[in-house]
């Protein structure tokens, strides 16, 4: 028997809704009554177990979803937010104040990068962006003011892999918190089990999986999540990125099929990555032996869920990348759209979209080329058919040479 199966952990939770419903009832209220004024006072003081106060603080539907996500990540509890950025920014602001310093991977989602580069300095919080795969560089960047190491398990968009176990050891040694954005690798990797202190997801992506909402979650200790929600100085409570109860209930229902979807995303991405690489395309996918961190990632993942649904190819130039993406969309192979984790394949050129917040010079330095296309591979039933159709598009625009006909 496996020691930690995140899908079992989700399924082992049992809910009975009001009236015996098989789904928990949705709490359609922003505020809650108290039978006595004394209980209301106790609730504000955080001393009224089981009582709800106001939905920006907590709501039953959000707690149900948080509980399921905490079970998935193996943390004590979790706080659901209205977006991934709502989870990331509040976690960082809870841990850091004026004068503090963050060490961040340099290849992260453009919004997180912009937050640490342009926004937190206004509050006196500074960041150093480092190559997270170089542990000596990470350790050398630590200053007496460093509070947090931030990284993505598999980075957006370059698909670099963070060695979470080793980063956790560095964090512990220097008394820092390790925050890991696990958006690209739900179920495959359980960062808290590898030593991360806080695990964050944009629920917008694979976890919800239907591209119909944004959402986020912060998973951590009861102490940290209580601090986030504290009515006096909790960043989540005071900045207010609160998810609506109706949406929490719908994400919870989608979470129930995540294990099936992740297997198919990974299966399809592995298939395409192998074919593309074999055709001579510069392909990056953690499941390829050519990926610089393939062996490390293999040692970190729960193999049942594979190497994930994200891959990149280099089309050579932005013009070629755009031409290819437009043709693939025209032939209904997917959508030219940002985001990920949809049933249909999504593709975009990150240099001019999701990573455009990163200055050109820095993009170059980190290896983010103009012609890079990021694919979130969909749930296609017949991936061989998809491959053939994609190959035809690549040949039509000259990204791949046309096969010789005899
Ligand atoms: N983290 C990663 C890895 C992302 O790709 C994104 C969005 O693209 C975010 C966080 C932000 O999430 P949201 O758009 O839900 O705020």
């Amino acid at each position: 028997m496996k020691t930690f199966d995140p899908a079992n952990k989700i399924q082992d939770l049992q809910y009975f809704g009001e009236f015996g419903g098989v789904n928990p009832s949705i709490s359609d209220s922003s505020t809650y009554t108290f039978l006595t004024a004394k209980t209301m006072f106790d609730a504000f003081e955080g001393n009224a177990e089981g009582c709800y106060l106001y939905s920006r603080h907590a709501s039953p539907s959000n707690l149900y979803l948080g509980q399921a996500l905490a079970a998935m990540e193996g943390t004590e509890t979790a706080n659901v937010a209205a977006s991934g950025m709502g989870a990331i920014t509040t976690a960082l602001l809870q841990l850091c104040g004026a004068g503090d310093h963050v060490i961040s991977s340099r290849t992260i989602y453009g919004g997180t990068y912009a937050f640490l580069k342009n926004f937190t300095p206004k509050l006196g919080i500074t960041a150093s962006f480092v190559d997270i795969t170089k542990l000596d560089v990470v350790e050398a960047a630590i200053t007496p003011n460093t509070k947090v190491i931030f990284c993505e398990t598999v980075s957006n968009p370059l698909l670099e892999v963070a060695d979470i176990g080793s980063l956790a050891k560095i964090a512990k040694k220097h008394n820092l918190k390790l925050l890991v954005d696990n958006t690209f690798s739900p179920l495959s990797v359980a960062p808290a089990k590898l030593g991360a202190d806080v695990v964050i997801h944009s629920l917008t992506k694979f976890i919800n999986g239907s591209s119909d909402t944004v959402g986020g979650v912060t998973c951590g200790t009861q102490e940290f999540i209580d601090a986030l929600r504290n009515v006096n100085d909790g960043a989540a409570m005071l900045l207010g990125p609160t998810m609506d109860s109706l949406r929490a209930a719908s994400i919870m229902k989608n979470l129930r099929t995540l294990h099936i979807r992740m297997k198919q995303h990974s299966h399809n991405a592995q298939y395409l990555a192998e074919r593309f690489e074999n055709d001579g395309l510069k392909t990056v996918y953690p499941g390829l032996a050519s990926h610089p961190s393939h062996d490390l990632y293999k040692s970190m993942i729960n193999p049942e869920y594979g190497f994930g649904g994200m891959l990149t190819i280099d089309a050579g130039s932005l013009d070629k990348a755009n031409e290819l993406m437009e043709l693939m969309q025209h032939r209904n192979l997917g959508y030219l759209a940002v985001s990920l984790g949809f049933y249909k394949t999504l593709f975009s050129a990150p240099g001019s979209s999701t990573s455009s917040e990163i200055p050109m010079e820095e993009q170059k330095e980190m290896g983010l080329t103009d012609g890079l296309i990021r694919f979130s591979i969909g749930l296609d039933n017949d991936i061989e058919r998809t491959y053939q159709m994609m190959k035809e598009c690549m040949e039509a625009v000259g990204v791949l040479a046309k096969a010789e006909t005899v």
Side-chain angles (χ1 to χ4, degrees):
M1 211 165 79
K2 274 179 282 175
T3 46
F4 182 73
D5 186 318
N8 284 353
K9 295 284 176 199
I10 297 170
Q11 290 189 348
D12 287 348
L13 295 169
Q14 188 183 40
Y15 300 100
F16 294 102
E18 210 181 352
F19 314 113
V22 293
N23 288 304
S25 303
I26 300 171
S27 79
D28 198 19
S29 296
S30 58
T31 191
Y32 300 84
T33 58
F34 293 89
L35 288 181
T36 69
K38 163 90 172 62
T39 324
M40 181 187 265
F41 175 77
D42 289 345
F44 268 93
E45 297 285 297
N47 299 327
E49 187 65 29
C51 285
Y52 295 94
L53 188 63
Y54 185 66
S55 285
R56 175 156 44 79
H57 181 247
S59 69
S61 299
N62 287 11
L63 289 189
Y64 284 133
L65 178 60
Q67 189 184 26
L69 291 164
M72 177 182 92
E73 287 298 355
T75 60
E76 283 175 17
T77 187
N79 186 57
V80 165
S83 68
M85 285 308 290
I88 291 167
T89 55
T90 50
L92 285 169
L93 293 178
Q94 194 63 40
L95 291 168
C96 301
D100 290 341
H101 173 248
V102 175
I103 294 173
S104 169
S105 164
R106 62 183 186 172
T107 68
I108 49 172
Y109 166 58
T112 315
Y113 178 88
F115 180 67
L116 286 171
K117 175 110 181 167
N118 308 323
F119 195 95
T120 58
K122 294 193 278 188
L123 306 174
I125 303 165
T126 53
S128 301
F129 297 95
V130 299
D131 180 342
I132 206 75
T133 63
K134 299 205 164 77
L135 297 170
D136 52 336
V137 173
V138 174
E139 194 155 14
I142 297 172
T143 73
N145 295 335
T146 307
K147 288 282 181 320
V148 165
I149 300 176
F150 182 91
C151 66
E152 295 172 359
T153 310
V154 178
S155 77
N156 184 359
L158 293 181
L159 310 182
E160 287 178 350
V161 172
D163 180 349
I164 294 170
S166 301
L167 290 169
K169 280 193 194 124
I170 294 174
K172 231 177 211 82
K173 183 170 145 199
H174 295 271
N175 200 22
L176 314 176
K177 296 288 181 209
L178 176 63
L179 262 66
V180 178
D181 179 338
N182 201 30
T183 299
F184 276 27
S185 40
L187 300 179
S188 289
V189 180
K193 293 283 166 197
L194 298 170
D197 297 287
V198 178
V199 183
I200 291 173
H201 284 275
S202 165
L203 302 177
T204 316
K205 312 293 161 44
F206 290 104
I207 290 181
N208 184 54
S210 50
S211 292
D212 55 0
T213 187
V214 286
V217 72
T218 309
C219 305
T221 61
Q222 189 71 50
E223 189 187 357
F224 180 62
I225 301 302
D226 284 348
L228 268 181
R229 289 200 195 116
N230 189 291
V231 292
N232 290 307
D233 62 359
M237 178 64 184
L238 299 178
L239 296 172
T242 311
M243 177 175 282
D244 182 71
S245 293
L246 295 171
R247 200 42 105 174
S250 77
I251 295 174
M252 176 89 161
K253 282 171 240 170
N254 289 357
L255 179 65
R256 306 213 178 288
T257 57
L258 180 64
H259 58 298
I260 300 168
R261 290 186 278 114
M262 284 318 295
K263 287 176 196 173
Q264 188 73 9
H265 283 300
S266 289
H267 168 80
N268 285 353
Q270 180 80 40
Y271 185 95
L272 290 179
E274 284 172 12
R275 296 294 178 290
F276 291 161
E277 184 170 64
N278 199 40
D279 289 336
L281 275 177
K282 204 168 156 217
T283 310
V284 175
Y285 181 65
L288 292 175
S290 59
H291 189 287
S293 301
H294 174 70
D295 291 335
L296 166 70
Y297 199 50
K298 203 169 168 182
S299 74
M300 284 164 58
I301 61 169
N302 188 335
E304 209 183 331
Y305 304 106
F307 291 86
M310 303 301 294
L311 65 86
T312 68
I313 62 160
D314 197 330
S317 69
L318 182 59
D319 285 345
K320 278 273 173 257
N322 288 341
E323 211 183 331
L324 175 59
M325 292 190 293
E326 285 170 14
L327 183 60
M328 287 193 295
Q329 176 164 262
H330 181 69
R331 297 198 181 164
N332 199 14
L333 283 163
Y335 294 116
L336 201 181
V338 297
S339 202
L340 41 130
F342 198 34
Y343 82 98
K344 203 86 165 163
T345 293
L346 303 177
F347 31 80
S348 56
S352 52
S353 62
T354 46
S355 297
S356 57
E357 296 92 339
I358 302 172
M360 256 337 196
E361 268 315 297
E362 287 174 41
Q363 289 194 21
K364 262 205 195 101
E365 202 183 304
M366 64 176 71
L368 209 174
T369 52
D370 278 0
L372 193 85
I373 303 179
R374 184 189 77 176
F375 285 77
S376 163
I377 303 300
L379 300 173
D380 310 30
N381 185 48
D382 183 350
I383 197 64
E384 164 64 20
R385 183 182 75 143
T386 302
Y387 164 66
Q388 291 301 343
M389 289 168 72
M390 282 185 173
K391 193 170 172 195
E392 278 168 29
C393 294
M394 289 170 185
E395 289 173 350
V397 302
V399 167
L400 275 180
K402 274 204 174 63
E404 298 281 328
T405 43
V406 248

